[in-house]
Amino acid sequence: MEATATPSRHARKRVTSLSGGREEKSPPERTVYMDYNATTPLEPEVVRAVTEAMQEAWGNPSSPYPAGRKAKEMISSARESLAKMLSGDPRDIVFTSGGTESNNLVIHSVVKHFRKTHTPRGDSAERHSPAEGATPHIVTCTVEHDSIRLPLERAVEEQVAAVTFVPVSKVNGQAEAEDILAAVRPATCLVTVMLANNETGVVMPIPEISRRVKALNQQRAASGLPVILLHTDAAQALGKRRVDVRDLGVDFLTIVGHKFYGPRIGALYIRGLGERTPLHPMLFGGGQERNFRPGTENTPMIAGLGKAAELVTENCEAYEAHMRDVRDYLEERLVAEFGEKKVHLNSRFPGAERLPNTCNFSFRGPQLRGHSVLAQCRTLVASVGAACHSDHGDRPSPVLLSCGIPFDVARNALRLSVGRGTTRAEVDLAVQDLKRAVAQLEGQACAEAAS
């Protein structure tokens, strides 16, 4: 899947003003975008779906007239497309504003359900659960996205819940099932572990964790202990590998549209919604989404999300193969240009699967910190890690430190994440840009030392 280095959709054109009032376009400045884990552009088909909904389905989906019925049909179709992408049931899909809301909704819901079902009753003669009166307990891992970590930390501060943050393995970067199960307490009601990490690309062993939790739940039921529900944030995995809720065995799964070329909207999968798996709303209003997430539906964005899901269902294997080919070529070029002693590939862990598009690496050298290297780049657009941590300066990523990456190496980290349209030619441009940036920083350091 080769392509020549022609200006991409991200290229910027500069206009030079000449004397005499004429304006002459200079050659376009080439931009190579490699931050697809942060966000993705909308596919043209998605843009068309959003536009069609704006033009033809502008009515309130709860209204009986044609524009309202059209909106309702589009929402129903999108729900079916999302379910098909996950091999799930459309009835188990609830639309949200995005991944942050979905993740917070899971935590809120499980804590509320625990308190509702395990609050001590007035009649002491009744047989109560051993967990009655206890603080609900949640198990997660140390490399979760802030939309999991921060609400859990807040729950601990407010004494709403107790939380155990399980370290990931320094060997494979994964949250291991054995460690997750070892953290379980009688009052544990939720295990939440991301499907794939946004910085390293490491895929977590969710099917194994699910099997272990399911077996444990059978033992807990006999003892009157609460069922442990399992949630995974699949934001980074969707669109890069097949995601099947039957194989994963999860009760909740978070969907984020702008990570797979869809709009900035999200959804939540809940297995057996309202029957097998409880969901307690955070919002109250007009009854939309079966009262689980009320508010007049954002029809255009939902239609776009459905189209993005449809494209993933049809093309996921091709997307994955292309991204893996380009990512592997990127890592080969980095090592070839800089040498194994100069480049440390932070996202390669023995025995761990990783996303096909993610390359996290560091240049060795005190002057080659990630932010400094990117600041010198003229062509490459990338990040040092999670986009939501872009204001953390030169502080090393807690995710990399948790995975056992040495402090000085983690401080120099860069995360390049390729996309569906990234070419080998763009990789060559990016590597040459990095080579120039590194040489400039090292030259400055030598000049300063000499002076």
Side-chain angles (χ1 to χ4, degrees):
M1 301 181 72
E2 291 286 341
T4 57
T6 55
S8 69
R9 76 182 80 178
H10 307 288
R12 301 189 301 272
K13 291 185 177 180
R14 291 179 296 184
V15 178
T16 304
S17 179
L18 304 178
S19 59
R22 287 188 303 114
E23 287 190 345
E24 182 178 297
K25 290 183 179 179
S26 62
E29 179 185 339
R30 180 55 188 251
T31 298
V32 177
Y33 181 76
M34 289 191 178
D35 204 17
Y36 289 90
N37 281 6
T39 198
T40 56
L42 295 179
E43 286 282 14
E45 296 94 326
V46 172
V47 174
R48 285 195 288 272
V50 171
T51 303
E52 180 187 353
M54 287 180 168
Q55 293 173 339
E56 300 180 14
W58 50 266
N60 191 313
S62 300
S63 300
Y65 41 77
R69 291 199 302 270
K70 179 69 172 177
K72 190 172 184 178
E73 290 169 6
M74 284 188 168
I75 292 169
S76 177
S77 177
R79 201 184 309 275
E80 291 175 3
S81 295
L82 283 174
K84 188 174 182 180
M85 177 178 67
L86 302 173
S87 298
D89 190 322
R91 294 172 296 182
D92 293 341
I93 300 292
V94 171
F95 293 109
T96 67
S97 64
T100 295
E101 183 187 341
S102 293
N103 287 344
N104 277 260
L105 180 56
V106 170
I107 294 167
H108 161 86
S109 183
V110 173
V111 168
K112 185 166 185 176
H113 184 73
F114 181 95
R115 293 191 176 279
K116 188 175 181 180
T117 55
H118 292 85
T119 299
R121 308 298 181 192
D123 186 356
S124 60
E126 294 180 10
R127 183 187 176 196
H128 303 311
S129 162
E132 266 194 16
T135 300
H137 176 243
I138 297 170
V139 179
T140 188
C141 72
T142 54
V143 299
E144 292 294 315
H145 189 269
D146 279 356
S147 59
I148 289 291
R149 181 181 63 83
L150 292 177
L152 290 180
E153 289 179 351
R154 176 63 64 89
V156 172
E157 289 173 8
E158 297 179 352
Q159 299 183 334
V160 172
V163 180
T164 299
F165 291 87
V166 175
V168 294
S169 167
K170 287 181 168 52
V171 175
N172 58 30
Q174 293 179 324
E176 297 187 326
E178 192 68 33
D179 296 332
I180 294 293
L181 270 292
V184 168
R185 304 175 185 174
T188 302
C189 54
L190 177 68
V191 168
T192 174
V193 177
M194 60 181 15
L195 184 50
N197 185 263
N198 49 315
E199 294 190 40
T200 63
V202 168
V203 177
M204 302 296 177
I206 301 300
E208 182 186 358
I209 293 172
S210 173
R211 287 192 294 270
R212 296 287 297 274
V213 168
K214 184 177 180 180
L216 181 60
N217 275 334
Q218 293 177 347
Q219 301 173 20
R220 289 168 67 89
S223 304
L225 294 174
V227 169
I228 300 172
L229 297 171
L230 178 60
H231 166 248
T232 192
D233 180 349
Q236 289 297 336
L238 288 166
K240 300 166 189 168
R241 67 193 300 273
R242 282 291 173 192
V243 175
D244 188 320
V245 291
R246 299 169 303 182
D247 295 339
L248 294 174
V250 294
D251 300 294
F252 303 98
L253 182 141
T254 293
I255 301 163
V256 182
H258 74 99
K259 303 294 188 180
F260 58 97
Y261 293 75
R264 288 193 173 99
I265 191 173
L268 182 65
Y269 163 83
I270 310 98
R271 182 173 57 150
L273 173 59
E275 298 176 1
R276 181 169 185 166
T277 306
L279 190 69
H280 294 273
M282 292 191 295
L283 304 174
F284 299 90
Q288 295 86 354
E289 291 299 284
R290 292 158 288 168
N291 278 314
F292 292 113
R293 204 289 184 180
T296 303
E297 300 91 339
N298 190 343
T299 307
M301 297 300 104
I302 290 174
L305 182 62
K307 176 55 69 173
E310 186 180 319
L311 293 173
V312 169
T313 301
E314 294 172 355
N315 304 298
C316 192
E317 284 78 9
Y319 294 155
E320 181 177 0
H322 172 72
M323 287 187 282
R324 178 173 285 108
D325 174 75
V326 176
R327 190 274 314 277
D328 290 350
Y329 178 70
L330 168 62
E331 293 183 345
E332 291 169 8
R333 294 305 306 145
L334 286 170
V335 173
E337 288 289 346
F338 295 98
E340 292 184 354
K341 291 185 178 180
K342 189 74 172 180
V343 173
H344 185 273
L345 298 173
N346 302 323
S347 51
R348 284 187 178 178
F349 293 93
E353 181 188 354
R354 59 175 171 151
L355 294 175
N357 79 319
T358 304
C359 169
N360 194 306
F361 69 97
S362 299
F363 292 118
R364 296 184 187 274
Q367 69 275 20
L368 299 179
R369 296 180 182 178
H371 282 290
S372 300
V373 173
L374 284 180
Q376 294 295 328
C377 286
R378 298 174 182 171
T379 298
L380 176 64
V381 175
S383 67
V384 297
C388 50
H389 292 162
S390 60
D391 60 347
H392 283 197
D394 283 332
R395 283 179 286 170
S397 161
V399 168
L400 295 182
L401 295 177
S402 296
C403 294
I405 304 299
F407 184 93
D408 289 343
V409 176
R411 188 169 54 184
N412 289 11
L414 293 166
R415 181 192 68 182
L416 305 190
S417 47
V418 303
R420 299 171 185 176
T422 308
T423 65
R424 288 191 173 204
E426 288 180 316
V427 167
D428 291 335
L429 287 172
V431 171
Q432 288 306 309
D433 197 28
L434 287 168
K435 191 174 182 180
R436 185 198 57 77
V438 167
Q440 186 164 344
L441 288 171
E442 290 181 328
Q444 290 173 359
C446 288
E448 290 172 3
S451 63

